[in-house]
Amino acid sequence: MKLAIEVVAIDTLMLRLFDQIEESNMPWLLAAAERLRDVFADKLLELVPSYTTLLVQYDLTQLDDQQARELIKQALTDLSPQAATAGREQQIPVWYDTSVGPELAAIGSRSGLGVAGVIDCHSQHVYQVFALGFAPGFAFMGLVDEIIASPRLSTPRQQVPAGSLGIADRQTAIYPLQSPGGWNLIGRSPTRLFDRELDGYSLLQPGDRVRFVAVDRAEFVRLGGDDTPFEVKP
Amino acid sequence: MSLLIERSGALANLHDSGRVGVRHLGVTQGGGADWIAQNWANWLLGNSLNAAVIEITLGSLELLVERDACLALCGADLGAQLDEQNIKPWRSFNVRRGQRLRFNNPLQGVRAYLAAPGGFSAPLVLGSCSSVRRDQLGGLHGDGQPLSNADRLSWNATQAPSPRELAASQIPQRPENSNLPVILGAQIADFSGQSLFDAFNSTWTVDQRADRMGVRLLGPALRCERQQMVSEGVPLGAIQVPSDGQPIVLLNDRQTIGGYPRLGALTPAAVAHLAQCLPGTELQFRPMALAEAQRQHRLLLAQWT
């Protein structure tokens, strides 16, 4: 871990801790985030972790730039990565099917794995949550096997149904809400990812480890999934 | 009940000062885009600055008053009329049961802020009633939908100070030559020298593609040497430059993280100003030292304490 602190707005500093996306970054980022929350206390407005960085927005009625930098250095001195407390292991059911995953067949033929091979490949790996963003509870996870990695669609779709599971390059994510989106869709999950009744609001948090469990249509529906086929518009 | 929406217009939303402490969940900030006008509207009625107001975009809104009250209007001049009487912004005014308050079309600015005693009543969702349709959070019904016909709004207090107007010195002044102060930073070192010159020596024109997520500006194409960037948190007012070289200034409903290189960010006061610029408005960027920007911002905030 390194530490570069950059100004990005009047009350916001970016902490650059790593250069590359690595699963091993997350315990450090989580440990740093926890210490920063403690040290800044009510002087912290926002702390946004993402892959290699932490964005820190402070209350500039209580701190100036220099004082914020000193608190950051104080928080990150003698930091050790979180191990036991970092991230929970989550299992998320997914109905992998071409009727709800319009890119599943294409990824199957391009990779040479076939549909069943893509499902095995995607569901056998344990993924790390790197960041939340794009929409409430939208968790960027990775890294998917290079053989099924797929670039974003050249034209994003206007509507992607809630629960859709997608791949973009070596990342994977579930759309918590119906929204526009350009990821390659390979299935659908019945699990609610963002719920204001949920403790912490978002089921997935940065640092969580996630395994997708393939379920059949009947189980998907039993768990509350909507099996309306995805309409591929010409 | 107090105000009935008879015609919902282009876009009218409830906003308080937005959602704080939830950006790490992917939840949008929200809050009134011209937060300065919003603060003055609440201040005129003696409200908390976090009280919910209606942000009226461009006009075409019609409200029936169902209870006598004192309301406040700040921000854009959208040709407001109370029955036949013109209502200019930056004042509070009495309304009587049975009168109609109309917002016609923009004479100056984009967004008007209508405040009521104690703030409009709306459920808090993640600590705020700010309406963000994309997140399906906030608003009158908590689901992020904008105000629509037949919605009824009530407010939280019965008393308000008598009608008054802001002093001329309190009304926000447009920056000289529409020169918007920028805190330099983020990926600015990765832009070419020519692009840095262009960024601060060109006239930028507000594009039609402007909403609460961001305002696209048209001008010379800016080139960033960095092709690929790992997504990171993005602050209010960030000036991001996608591969077409045309900057987008990110406002209150921006996504929480993004992967486009940025020149830095506008000051909060400049964000409020930009939120009032119609497409076609010409602007310039001007670098401002961080310490000076913080000093000016604290002075601005001191007006309401």
Side-chain angles (χ1 to χ4, degrees), chain A residues 7-8 10 14 16 45-47 50-51 53 55 58 60-61 63 65 132-137 196 201, chain B residues 20-26 134-135 142 185-187 230-233 256 265 290 293-294 297-298 301:
Chain A
V7 171
V8 292
I10 191 169
M14 188 70 72
R16 299 192 185 284
L45 299 181
E46 299 292 345
L47 200 172
S50 178
Y51 299 101
T53 54
L55 173 143
Y58 56 90
L60 62 65
T61 66
L63 294 176
D65 176 64
L132 264 59
F134 177 67
R196 60 184 96 146
Y201 305 118
Chain B
V20 178
V22 290
R23 212 80 67 246
H24 62 289
L25 303 174
R134 187 166 48 82
D135 283 2
Q187 289 74 34
V230 177
S231 287
E232 60 187 37
T256 55
L290 180 61
Q294 291 196 339
H297 189 69
R298 291 192 191 100
L301 295 178

mmCIF file of all heavy atoms in Angstrom, chain A residues 7-8 10 14 16 45-47 50-51 53 55 58 60-61 63 65 132-137 196 201, chain B residues 20-26 134-135 142 185-187 230-233 256 265 290 293-294 297-298 301:
data_model
loop_
_atom_site.group_PDB
_atom_site.id
_atom_site.type_symbol
_atom_site.label_atom_id
_atom_site.label_comp_id
_atom_site.label_asym_id
_atom_site.label_seq_id
_atom_site.Cartn_x
_atom_site.Cartn_y
_atom_site.Cartn_z
ATOM 1 N N VAL A 7 -6.167 16.643 -3.989
ATOM 2 C CA VAL A 7 -7.384 17.447 -3.928
ATOM 3 C C VAL A 7 -8.253 17.097 -5.128
ATOM 4 O O VAL A 7 -7.759 17.045 -6.256
ATOM 5 C CB VAL A 7 -7.025 18.949 -3.974
ATOM 6 C CG1 VAL A 7 -8.284 19.798 -4.130
ATOM 7 C CG2 VAL A 7 -6.246 19.343 -2.734
ATOM 8 N N VAL A 8 -9.546 16.844 -4.916
ATOM 9 C CA VAL A 8 -10.446 16.648 -6.061
ATOM 10 C C VAL A 8 -11.642 17.599 -6.042
ATOM 11 O O VAL A 8 -12.367 17.703 -7.026
ATOM 12 C CB VAL A 8 -10.934 15.192 -6.208
ATOM 13 C CG1 VAL A 8 -9.784 14.274 -6.595
ATOM 14 C CG2 VAL A 8 -11.629 14.698 -4.964
ATOM 15 N N ILE A 10 -13.524 21.161 -3.431
ATOM 16 C CA ILE A 10 -13.288 22.137 -2.367
ATOM 17 C C ILE A 10 -13.178 21.477 -0.990
ATOM 18 O O ILE A 10 -12.426 21.940 -0.139
ATOM 19 C CB ILE A 10 -14.402 23.215 -2.392
ATOM 20 C CG1 ILE A 10 -14.053 24.400 -1.494
ATOM 21 C CG2 ILE A 10 -15.745 22.634 -2.000
ATOM 22 C CD1 ILE A 10 -14.962 25.597 -1.662
ATOM 23 N N MET A 14 -8.838 12.742 -2.462
ATOM 24 C CA MET A 14 -8.795 11.363 -2.959
ATOM 25 C C MET A 14 -7.539 10.722 -2.402
ATOM 26 O O MET A 14 -6.441 11.261 -2.546
ATOM 27 C CB MET A 14 -8.754 11.363 -4.487
ATOM 28 C CG MET A 14 -8.896 9.985 -5.102
ATOM 29 S SD MET A 14 -10.551 9.302 -4.899
ATOM 30 C CE MET A 14 -11.468 10.323 -6.063
ATOM 31 N N ARG A 16 -5.153 7.746 -2.883
ATOM 32 C CA ARG A 16 -4.786 6.680 -3.819
ATOM 33 C C ARG A 16 -3.875 5.710 -3.081
ATOM 34 O O ARG A 16 -2.776 6.067 -2.685
ATOM 35 C CB ARG A 16 -4.068 7.253 -5.031
ATOM 36 C CG ARG A 16 -4.923 8.224 -5.787
ATOM 37 C CD ARG A 16 -4.386 8.612 -7.148
ATOM 38 N NE ARG A 16 -5.264 9.635 -7.662
ATOM 39 C CZ ARG A 16 -6.471 9.401 -8.159
ATOM 40 N NH1 ARG A 16 -6.912 8.163 -8.255
ATOM 41 N NH2 ARG A 16 -7.241 10.385 -8.562
ATOM 42 N N LEU A 45 -18.149 13.673 5.973
ATOM 43 C CA LEU A 45 -19.464 13.680 5.319
ATOM 44 C C LEU A 45 -19.659 12.427 4.479
ATOM 45 O O LEU A 45 -20.716 11.806 4.517
ATOM 46 C CB LEU A 45 -19.630 14.930 4.445
ATOM 47 C CG LEU A 45 -19.556 16.265 5.194
ATOM 48 C CD1 LEU A 45 -19.753 17.427 4.226
ATOM 49 C CD2 LEU A 45 -20.609 16.326 6.295
ATOM 50 N N GLU A 46 -18.640 12.063 3.691
ATOM 51 C CA GLU A 46 -18.743 10.878 2.840
ATOM 52 C C GLU A 46 -17.394 10.186 2.784
ATOM 53 O O GLU A 46 -16.356 10.843 2.805
ATOM 54 C CB GLU A 46 -19.139 11.256 1.407
ATOM 55 C CG GLU A 46 -20.485 11.943 1.268
ATOM 56 C CD GLU A 46 -21.666 11.050 1.585
ATOM 57 O OE1 GLU A 46 -21.496 9.803 1.649
ATOM 58 O OE2 GLU A 46 -22.759 11.592 1.777
ATOM 59 N N LEU A 47 -17.447 8.848 2.678
ATOM 60 C CA LEU A 47 -16.223 8.074 2.466
ATOM 61 C C LEU A 47 -16.587 7.003 1.449
ATOM 62 O O LEU A 47 -17.387 6.114 1.747
ATOM 63 C CB LEU A 47 -15.775 7.443 3.785
ATOM 64 C CG LEU A 47 -14.313 7.005 3.863
ATOM 65 C CD1 LEU A 47 -13.978 6.597 5.287
ATOM 66 C CD2 LEU A 47 -13.995 5.867 2.935
ATOM 67 N N SER A 50 -13.405 2.587 -3.579
ATOM 68 C CA SER A 50 -13.548 2.054 -4.925
ATOM 69 C C SER A 50 -12.227 1.458 -5.401
ATOM 70 O O SER A 50 -11.267 2.203 -5.581
ATOM 71 C CB SER A 50 -13.986 3.168 -5.884
ATOM 72 O OG SER A 50 -14.067 2.662 -7.192
ATOM 73 N N TYR A 51 -12.169 0.174 -5.602
ATOM 74 C CA TYR A 51 -11.035 -0.548 -6.196
ATOM 75 C C TYR A 51 -9.672 -0.201 -5.607
ATOM 76 O O TYR A 51 -9.021 -1.040 -5.002
ATOM 77 C CB TYR A 51 -10.970 -0.331 -7.714
ATOM 78 C CG TYR A 51 -12.162 -0.796 -8.465
ATOM 79 C CD1 TYR A 51 -13.122 0.091 -8.892
ATOM 80 C CD2 TYR A 51 -12.328 -2.145 -8.764
ATOM 81 C CE1 TYR A 51 -14.232 -0.341 -9.606
ATOM 82 C CE2 TYR A 51 -13.436 -2.586 -9.475
ATOM 83 C CZ TYR A 51 -14.379 -1.681 -9.899
ATOM 84 O OH TYR A 51 -15.465 -2.096 -10.594
ATOM 85 N N THR A 53 -8.967 3.286 -4.429
ATOM 86 C CA THR A 53 -9.020 4.633 -3.841
ATOM 87 C C THR A 53 -10.053 4.726 -2.724
ATOM 88 O O THR A 53 -10.965 3.907 -2.629
ATOM 89 C CB THR A 53 -9.437 5.670 -4.911
ATOM 90 O OG1 THR A 53 -10.664 5.233 -5.494
ATOM 91 C CG2 THR A 53 -8.382 5.845 -5.977
ATOM 92 N N LEU A 55 -12.439 8.025 -1.416
ATOM 93 C CA LEU A 55 -12.779 9.434 -1.510
ATOM 94 C C LEU A 55 -13.238 9.893 -0.130
ATOM 95 O O LEU A 55 -14.084 9.256 0.485
ATOM 96 C CB LEU A 55 -13.878 9.638 -2.556
ATOM 97 C CG LEU A 55 -14.477 11.044 -2.660
ATOM 98 C CD1 LEU A 55 -14.766 11.374 -4.130
ATOM 99 C CD2 LEU A 55 -15.764 11.171 -1.864
ATOM 100 N N TYR A 58 -14.924 15.966 3.679
ATOM 101 C CA TYR A 58 -14.971 16.406 5.073
ATOM 102 C C TYR A 58 -15.831 17.657 5.206
ATOM 103 O O TYR A 58 -16.167 18.316 4.219
ATOM 104 C CB TYR A 58 -13.556 16.644 5.610
ATOM 105 C CG TYR A 58 -12.726 17.627 4.808
ATOM 106 C CD1 TYR A 58 -12.731 18.990 5.109
ATOM 107 C CD2 TYR A 58 -11.940 17.197 3.748
ATOM 108 C CE1 TYR A 58 -11.977 19.895 4.388
ATOM 109 C CE2 TYR A 58 -11.179 18.101 3.014
ATOM 110 C CZ TYR A 58 -11.208 19.441 3.336
ATOM 111 O OH TYR A 58 -10.464 20.332 2.610
ATOM 112 N N LEU A 60 -16.163 21.199 5.795
ATOM 113 C CA LEU A 60 -15.194 22.309 5.803
ATOM 114 C C LEU A 60 -15.607 23.442 6.724
ATOM 115 O O LEU A 60 -14.881 24.429 6.850
ATOM 116 C CB LEU A 60 -14.842 22.773 4.387
ATOM 117 C CG LEU A 60 -15.839 23.347 3.415
ATOM 118 C CD1 LEU A 60 -16.394 24.659 3.885
ATOM 119 C CD2 LEU A 60 -15.126 23.557 2.099
ATOM 120 N N THR A 61 -16.725 23.305 7.413
ATOM 121 C CA THR A 61 -16.979 24.262 8.497
ATOM 122 C C THR A 61 -16.220 23.841 9.757
ATOM 123 O O THR A 61 -16.125 24.602 10.710
ATOM 124 C CB THR A 61 -18.486 24.378 8.836
ATOM 125 O OG1 THR A 61 -18.956 23.148 9.370
ATOM 126 C CG2 THR A 61 -19.297 24.727 7.601
ATOM 127 N N LEU A 63 -13.087 21.742 9.383
ATOM 128 C CA LEU A 63 -11.700 21.419 9.043
ATOM 129 C C LEU A 63 -11.270 22.217 7.826
ATOM 130 O O LEU A 63 -12.095 22.535 6.970
ATOM 131 C CB LEU A 63 -11.568 19.936 8.660
ATOM 132 C CG LEU A 63 -11.815 18.856 9.698
ATOM 133 C CD1 LEU A 63 -11.719 17.489 9.027
ATOM 134 C CD2 LEU A 63 -10.824 18.976 10.842
ATOM 135 N N ASP A 65 -8.058 22.126 4.659
ATOM 136 C CA ASP A 65 -7.340 21.100 3.900
ATOM 137 C C ASP A 65 -6.210 20.488 4.727
ATOM 138 O O ASP A 65 -6.051 19.269 4.787
ATOM 139 C CB ASP A 65 -6.806 21.747 2.615
ATOM 140 C CG ASP A 65 -5.963 20.797 1.789
ATOM 141 O OD1 ASP A 65 -6.521 19.793 1.311
ATOM 142 O OD2 ASP A 65 -4.757 21.049 1.632
ATOM 143 N N LEU A 132 -19.334 -0.124 -4.513
ATOM 144 C CA LEU A 132 -20.745 0.059 -4.815
ATOM 145 C C LEU A 132 -20.880 1.362 -5.579
ATOM 146 O O LEU A 132 -20.244 2.355 -5.224
ATOM 147 C CB LEU A 132 -21.576 0.131 -3.529
ATOM 148 C CG LEU A 132 -22.236 -1.163 -3.046
ATOM 149 C CD1 LEU A 132 -21.211 -2.227 -2.795
ATOM 150 C CD2 LEU A 132 -23.059 -0.914 -1.798
ATOM 151 N N GLY A 133 -21.708 1.359 -6.604
ATOM 152 C CA GLY A 133 -21.878 2.586 -7.373
ATOM 153 C C GLY A 133 -22.852 2.359 -8.494
ATOM 154 O O GLY A 133 -23.477 1.297 -8.546
ATOM 155 N N PHE A 134 -22.994 3.319 -9.375
ATOM 156 C CA PHE A 134 -23.905 3.265 -10.522
ATOM 157 C C PHE A 134 -25.362 3.384 -10.087
ATOM 158 O O PHE A 134 -26.107 4.175 -10.642
ATOM 159 C CB PHE A 134 -23.691 1.996 -11.353
ATOM 160 C CG PHE A 134 -24.659 1.865 -12.495
ATOM 161 C CD1 PHE A 134 -24.611 2.758 -13.546
ATOM 162 C CD2 PHE A 134 -25.632 0.888 -12.496
ATOM 163 C CE1 PHE A 134 -25.520 2.665 -14.591
ATOM 164 C CE2 PHE A 134 -26.550 0.783 -13.544
ATOM 165 C CZ PHE A 134 -26.486 1.673 -14.587
ATOM 166 N N ALA A 135 -25.777 2.592 -9.101
ATOM 167 C CA ALA A 135 -27.142 2.661 -8.584
ATOM 168 C C ALA A 135 -27.084 2.166 -7.132
ATOM 169 O O ALA A 135 -26.131 1.489 -6.754
ATOM 170 C CB ALA A 135 -28.070 1.779 -9.408
ATOM 171 N N PRO A 136 -28.113 2.475 -6.324
ATOM 172 C CA PRO A 136 -28.088 2.000 -4.941
ATOM 173 C C PRO A 136 -27.953 0.478 -4.878
ATOM 174 O O PRO A 136 -28.747 -0.245 -5.470
ATOM 175 C CB PRO A 136 -29.447 2.441 -4.390
ATOM 176 C CG PRO A 136 -29.813 3.623 -5.225
ATOM 177 C CD PRO A 136 -29.273 3.322 -6.594
ATOM 178 N N GLY A 137 -26.919 -0.006 -4.197
ATOM 179 C CA GLY A 137 -26.729 -1.431 -4.016
ATOM 180 C C GLY A 137 -26.103 -2.149 -5.196
ATOM 181 O O GLY A 137 -25.955 -3.370 -5.162
ATOM 182 N N ARG A 196 -34.618 -0.532 1.825
ATOM 183 C CA ARG A 196 -34.438 0.390 2.940
ATOM 184 C C ARG A 196 -34.791 -0.270 4.274
ATOM 185 O O ARG A 196 -34.517 0.274 5.328
ATOM 186 C CB ARG A 196 -35.232 1.672 2.706
ATOM 187 C CG ARG A 196 -36.712 1.470 2.549
ATOM 188 C CD ARG A 196 -37.383 2.779 2.217
ATOM 189 N NE ARG A 196 -37.578 2.929 0.788
ATOM 190 C CZ ARG A 196 -38.622 3.544 0.274
ATOM 191 N NH1 ARG A 196 -39.528 4.071 1.028
ATOM 192 N NH2 ARG A 196 -38.738 3.645 -1.030
ATOM 193 N N TYR A 201 -28.919 -1.195 4.419
ATOM 194 C CA TYR A 201 -29.600 -0.904 3.148
ATOM 195 C C TYR A 201 -29.180 -1.793 1.988
ATOM 196 O O TYR A 201 -30.006 -2.221 1.196
ATOM 197 C CB TYR A 201 -29.430 0.559 2.723
ATOM 198 C CG TYR A 201 -29.875 1.544 3.756
ATOM 199 C CD1 TYR A 201 -28.983 2.443 4.314
ATOM 200 C CD2 TYR A 201 -31.195 1.569 4.193
ATOM 201 C CE1 TYR A 201 -29.390 3.356 5.285
ATOM 202 C CE2 TYR A 201 -31.610 2.469 5.165
ATOM 203 C CZ TYR A 201 -30.707 3.366 5.702
ATOM 204 O OH TYR A 201 -31.095 4.244 6.645
ATOM 205 N N VAL B 20 -26.879 12.293 2.997
ATOM 206 C CA VAL B 20 -25.504 12.413 3.477
ATOM 207 C C VAL B 20 -25.095 11.090 4.116
ATOM 208 O O VAL B 20 -25.897 10.445 4.793
ATOM 209 C CB VAL B 20 -25.401 13.558 4.516
ATOM 210 C CG1 VAL B 20 -23.981 13.661 5.052
ATOM 211 C CG2 VAL B 20 -25.825 14.871 3.886
ATOM 212 N N GLY B 21 -23.859 10.684 3.871
ATOM 213 C CA GLY B 21 -23.325 9.498 4.542
ATOM 214 C C GLY B 21 -23.760 8.185 3.912
ATOM 215 O O GLY B 21 -23.628 7.135 4.518
ATOM 216 N N VAL B 22 -24.281 8.231 2.686
ATOM 217 C CA VAL B 22 -24.742 7.001 2.027
ATOM 218 C C VAL B 22 -24.132 6.813 0.639
ATOM 219 O O VAL B 22 -24.514 5.919 -0.095
ATOM 220 C CB VAL B 22 -26.285 6.957 1.915
ATOM 221 C CG1 VAL B 22 -26.913 6.762 3.281
ATOM 222 C CG2 VAL B 22 -26.830 8.223 1.256
ATOM 223 N N ARG B 23 -23.162 7.660 0.288
ATOM 224 C CA ARG B 23 -22.588 7.589 -1.054
ATOM 225 C C ARG B 23 -21.876 6.252 -1.284
ATOM 226 O O ARG B 23 -21.817 5.756 -2.402
ATOM 227 C CB ARG B 23 -21.597 8.750 -1.261
ATOM 228 C CG ARG B 23 -21.533 9.262 -2.685
ATOM 229 C CD ARG B 23 -22.686 10.213 -3.034
ATOM 230 N NE ARG B 23 -22.600 11.437 -2.305
ATOM 231 C CZ ARG B 23 -23.492 11.811 -1.391
ATOM 232 N NH1 ARG B 23 -24.511 11.037 -1.095
ATOM 233 N NH2 ARG B 23 -23.367 12.955 -0.764
ATOM 234 N N HIS B 24 -21.331 5.668 -0.209
ATOM 235 C CA HIS B 24 -20.615 4.398 -0.347
ATOM 236 C C HIS B 24 -21.557 3.243 -0.667
ATOM 237 O O HIS B 24 -21.102 2.151 -0.975
ATOM 238 C CB HIS B 24 -19.830 4.100 0.931
ATOM 239 C CG HIS B 24 -20.702 3.946 2.145
ATOM 240 N ND1 HIS B 24 -21.345 5.009 2.721
ATOM 241 C CD2 HIS B 24 -21.053 2.856 2.866
ATOM 242 C CE1 HIS B 24 -22.046 4.573 3.763
ATOM 243 N NE2 HIS B 24 -21.892 3.277 3.865
ATOM 244 N N LEU B 25 -22.874 3.479 -0.598
ATOM 245 C CA LEU B 25 -23.844 2.437 -0.959
ATOM 246 C C LEU B 25 -24.302 2.592 -2.404
ATOM 247 O O LEU B 25 -25.182 1.864 -2.861
ATOM 248 C CB LEU B 25 -25.063 2.515 -0.037
ATOM 249 C CG LEU B 25 -24.756 2.410 1.457
ATOM 250 C CD1 LEU B 25 -26.017 2.638 2.276
ATOM 251 C CD2 LEU B 25 -24.165 1.032 1.772
ATOM 252 N N GLY B 26 -23.729 3.557 -3.100
ATOM 253 C CA GLY B 26 -24.166 3.811 -4.473
ATOM 254 C C GLY B 26 -25.357 4.748 -4.536
ATOM 255 O O GLY B 26 -25.962 4.904 -5.591
ATOM 256 N N ARG B 134 -34.030 8.077 -10.553
ATOM 257 C CA ARG B 134 -33.162 6.974 -10.960
ATOM 258 C C ARG B 134 -32.917 6.001 -9.803
ATOM 259 O O ARG B 134 -32.818 4.797 -9.993
ATOM 260 C CB ARG B 134 -31.834 7.563 -11.455
ATOM 261 C CG ARG B 134 -30.864 6.599 -12.059
ATOM 262 C CD ARG B 134 -29.766 7.357 -12.800
ATOM 263 N NE ARG B 134 -29.205 8.451 -12.018
ATOM 264 C CZ ARG B 134 -28.267 8.284 -11.092
ATOM 265 N NH1 ARG B 134 -27.773 7.105 -10.841
ATOM 266 N NH2 ARG B 134 -27.819 9.312 -10.414
ATOM 267 N N ASP B 135 -32.820 6.521 -8.579
ATOM 268 C CA ASP B 135 -32.594 5.670 -7.408
ATOM 269 C C ASP B 135 -33.900 5.145 -6.821
ATOM 270 O O ASP B 135 -33.881 4.342 -5.886
ATOM 271 C CB ASP B 135 -31.866 6.464 -6.312
ATOM 272 C CG ASP B 135 -30.378 6.642 -6.602
ATOM 273 O OD1 ASP B 135 -29.928 6.192 -7.659
ATOM 274 O OD2 ASP B 135 -29.690 7.243 -5.757
ATOM 275 N N GLY B 142 -42.063 8.670 -1.504
ATOM 276 C CA GLY B 142 -40.888 7.897 -1.116
ATOM 277 C C GLY B 142 -40.271 7.068 -2.227
ATOM 278 O O GLY B 142 -39.251 6.429 -2.024
ATOM 279 N N GLY B 185 -7.485 19.752 -9.927
ATOM 280 C CA GLY B 185 -7.089 18.539 -9.237
ATOM 281 C C GLY B 185 -7.411 17.306 -10.038
ATOM 282 O O GLY B 185 -7.505 17.352 -11.268
ATOM 283 N N ALA B 186 -7.574 16.188 -9.320
ATOM 284 C CA ALA B 186 -7.885 14.893 -9.931
ATOM 285 C C ALA B 186 -6.861 14.586 -11.018
ATOM 286 O O ALA B 186 -5.664 14.624 -10.767
ATOM 287 C CB ALA B 186 -9.322 14.862 -10.437
ATOM 288 N N GLN B 187 -7.303 14.357 -12.266
ATOM 289 C CA GLN B 187 -6.385 13.900 -13.326
ATOM 290 C C GLN B 187 -5.865 15.065 -14.172
ATOM 291 O O GLN B 187 -5.425 14.862 -15.311
ATOM 292 C CB GLN B 187 -7.096 12.886 -14.228
ATOM 293 C CG GLN B 187 -7.340 11.539 -13.572
ATOM 294 C CD GLN B 187 -8.460 11.584 -12.554
ATOM 295 O OE1 GLN B 187 -9.440 12.323 -12.713
ATOM 296 N NE2 GLN B 187 -8.330 10.813 -11.484
ATOM 297 N N VAL B 230 -9.172 3.594 -13.504
ATOM 298 C CA VAL B 230 -9.977 2.797 -12.578
ATOM 299 C C VAL B 230 -11.037 3.713 -11.975
ATOM 300 O O VAL B 230 -10.733 4.822 -11.554
ATOM 301 C CB VAL B 230 -9.081 2.208 -11.471
ATOM 302 C CG1 VAL B 230 -9.920 1.451 -10.458
ATOM 303 C CG2 VAL B 230 -7.999 1.318 -12.067
ATOM 304 N N SER B 231 -12.294 3.247 -11.958
ATOM 305 C CA SER B 231 -13.378 4.080 -11.436
ATOM 306 C C SER B 231 -13.118 4.465 -9.993
ATOM 307 O O SER B 231 -12.625 3.674 -9.199
ATOM 308 C CB SER B 231 -14.708 3.335 -11.523
ATOM 309 O OG SER B 231 -15.140 3.277 -12.856
ATOM 310 N N GLU B 232 -13.487 5.708 -9.667
ATOM 311 C CA GLU B 232 -13.305 6.218 -8.308
ATOM 312 C C GLU B 232 -14.457 7.149 -7.971
ATOM 313 O O GLU B 232 -15.222 7.545 -8.851
ATOM 314 C CB GLU B 232 -11.959 6.959 -8.210
ATOM 315 C CG GLU B 232 -11.858 8.127 -9.158
ATOM 316 C CD GLU B 232 -10.461 8.770 -9.197
ATOM 317 O OE1 GLU B 232 -9.459 8.024 -9.106
ATOM 318 O OE2 GLU B 232 -10.388 9.996 -9.314
ATOM 319 N N GLY B 233 -14.593 7.473 -6.679
ATOM 320 C CA GLY B 233 -15.660 8.367 -6.242
ATOM 321 C C GLY B 233 -15.579 9.709 -6.958
ATOM 322 O O GLY B 233 -14.488 10.174 -7.261
ATOM 323 N N THR B 256 -22.287 7.835 -8.255
ATOM 324 C CA THR B 256 -21.384 8.009 -7.117
ATOM 325 C C THR B 256 -19.931 7.747 -7.467
ATOM 326 O O THR B 256 -19.033 8.286 -6.836
ATOM 327 C CB THR B 256 -21.790 7.081 -5.973
ATOM 328 O OG1 THR B 256 -21.818 5.736 -6.493
ATOM 329 C CG2 THR B 256 -23.165 7.431 -5.460
ATOM 330 N N ALA B 265 -12.931 20.328 -9.925
ATOM 331 C CA ALA B 265 -14.357 20.490 -9.650
ATOM 332 C C ALA B 265 -14.695 21.958 -9.458
ATOM 333 O O ALA B 265 -13.897 22.725 -8.900
ATOM 334 C CB ALA B 265 -14.753 19.706 -8.407
ATOM 335 N N LEU B 290 -7.326 26.675 -3.508
ATOM 336 C CA LEU B 290 -8.192 25.967 -2.573
ATOM 337 C C LEU B 290 -8.477 26.787 -1.315
ATOM 338 O O LEU B 290 -9.627 26.895 -0.884
ATOM 339 C CB LEU B 290 -7.549 24.624 -2.200
ATOM 340 C CG LEU B 290 -8.345 23.767 -1.218
ATOM 341 C CD1 LEU B 290 -9.705 23.397 -1.781
ATOM 342 C CD2 LEU B 290 -7.556 22.514 -0.852
ATOM 343 N N ALA B 293 -10.936 29.492 -2.010
ATOM 344 C CA ALA B 293 -12.274 28.946 -2.259
ATOM 345 C C ALA B 293 -12.941 28.545 -0.943
ATOM 346 O O ALA B 293 -14.128 28.809 -0.728
ATOM 347 C CB ALA B 293 -12.179 27.735 -3.191
ATOM 348 N N GLN B 294 -12.157 27.939 -0.051
ATOM 349 C CA GLN B 294 -12.735 27.539 1.246
ATOM 350 C C GLN B 294 -13.131 28.777 2.053
ATOM 351 O O GLN B 294 -14.185 28.797 2.694
ATOM 352 C CB GLN B 294 -11.735 26.673 2.028
ATOM 353 C CG GLN B 294 -11.529 25.304 1.368
ATOM 354 C CD GLN B 294 -10.865 24.291 2.305
ATOM 355 O OE1 GLN B 294 -10.214 24.666 3.277
ATOM 356 N NE2 GLN B 294 -11.022 23.014 1.993
ATOM 357 N N HIS B 297 -16.294 30.130 0.649
ATOM 358 C CA HIS B 297 -17.432 29.255 0.918
ATOM 359 C C HIS B 297 -17.918 29.414 2.357
ATOM 360 O O HIS B 297 -19.124 29.467 2.615
ATOM 361 C CB HIS B 297 -17.053 27.792 0.645
ATOM 362 C CG HIS B 297 -18.217 26.869 0.699
ATOM 363 N ND1 HIS B 297 -19.223 26.884 -0.255
ATOM 364 C CD2 HIS B 297 -18.571 25.916 1.591
ATOM 365 C CE1 HIS B 297 -20.135 25.973 0.060
ATOM 366 N NE2 HIS B 297 -19.760 25.365 1.168
ATOM 367 N N ARG B 298 -16.971 29.540 3.287
ATOM 368 C CA ARG B 298 -17.375 29.726 4.687
ATOM 369 C C ARG B 298 -18.107 31.063 4.867
ATOM 370 O O ARG B 298 -19.080 31.146 5.609
ATOM 371 C CB ARG B 298 -16.157 29.660 5.610
ATOM 372 C CG ARG B 298 -15.563 28.268 5.696
ATOM 373 C CD ARG B 298 -14.537 28.136 6.821
ATOM 374 N NE ARG B 298 -13.833 26.869 6.678
ATOM 375 C CZ ARG B 298 -12.627 26.745 6.130
ATOM 376 N NH1 ARG B 298 -11.978 27.813 5.712
ATOM 377 N NH2 ARG B 298 -12.073 25.544 6.025
ATOM 378 N N LEU B 301 -21.637 30.546 3.674
ATOM 379 C CA LEU B 301 -22.453 29.803 4.647
ATOM 380 C C LEU B 301 -22.833 30.674 5.846
ATOM 381 O O LEU B 301 -23.899 30.500 6.433
ATOM 382 C CB LEU B 301 -21.701 28.564 5.140
ATOM 383 C CG LEU B 301 -21.407 27.475 4.113
ATOM 384 C CD1 LEU B 301 -20.613 26.339 4.750
ATOM 385 C CD2 LEU B 301 -22.694 26.939 3.502
#
